[in-house]
Amino acid sequence: MSKERARRRAEREAEQARLAALRAEREARLARRRERIGKVTALLPGRPVRIVSQGGIMARRRRAQNGVAAVLFLIVQVIVWLLWSSWAARFGVLVLSLLFVPLFLTLVFDRRS
């Protein structure tokens, strides 16, 4: 019985050592990655670098508004594509849509800057 316990303990210790080595390797990799990112960001000009998108209420609202505008733009383009066979008309509506999207965003979503 004592030999069996010693064997199981040795197996547990070997597994713990293997897991510790994996954990140390992962931490070393992360440290090297952080160091590389730090070196790159040190070379960039003095503005903050955002890795994660903002999650505030204004950012969510802006993303939703941009999504609505993009969907409406695509709907207009699909309708024009289906109803008119003239390439000139399709291109004309595309150009006009691109010109009117900022106006639409300013008027509907009150984006004055």
Side-chain angles (χ1 to χ4, degrees):
M1 190 67 165
S2 170
K3 290 181 183 180
E4 180 65 23
R5 277 193 306 228
R7 184 185 60 79
R8 281 187 286 182
R9 185 179 60 211
E11 288 175 358
R12 275 194 315 269
E13 289 173 354
E15 180 67 18
Q16 288 173 350
R18 186 182 69 81
L19 291 176
L22 286 175
R23 198 169 26 251
E25 180 183 340
R26 188 179 322 123
E27 289 173 3
R29 237 187 357 254
L30 284 174
R32 286 192 305 269
R33 182 171 186 258
R34 278 190 218 106
E35 185 178 336
R36 276 194 314 267
I37 289 174
K39 286 180 181 177
V40 169
T41 54
L43 296 174
L44 294 175
R47 63 187 165 138
V49 176
R50 289 196 184 111
I51 306 244
V52 180
S53 66
Q54 292 186 356
I57 190 165
M58 297 296 286
R60 284 195 301 264
R61 183 184 302 165
R62 178 52 88 64
R63 279 194 297 271
Q65 290 173 354
N66 288 342
V68 167
V71 167
L72 289 177
F73 177 81
L74 289 175
I75 288 173
V76 167
Q77 296 307 311
V78 168
I79 289 172
V80 168
W81 187 270
L82 294 175
L83 294 181
W84 292 341
S85 60
S86 168
W87 281 98
R90 291 174 178 171
F91 183 72
V93 170
L94 173 66
V95 170
L96 286 175
S97 296
L98 290 174
L99 290 174
F100 283 121
V101 164
L103 177 68
F104 168 78
L105 292 175
T106 303
L107 291 176
V108 174
F109 297 129
D110 193 25
R111 292 188 182 175
R112 287 176 269 168
S113 54

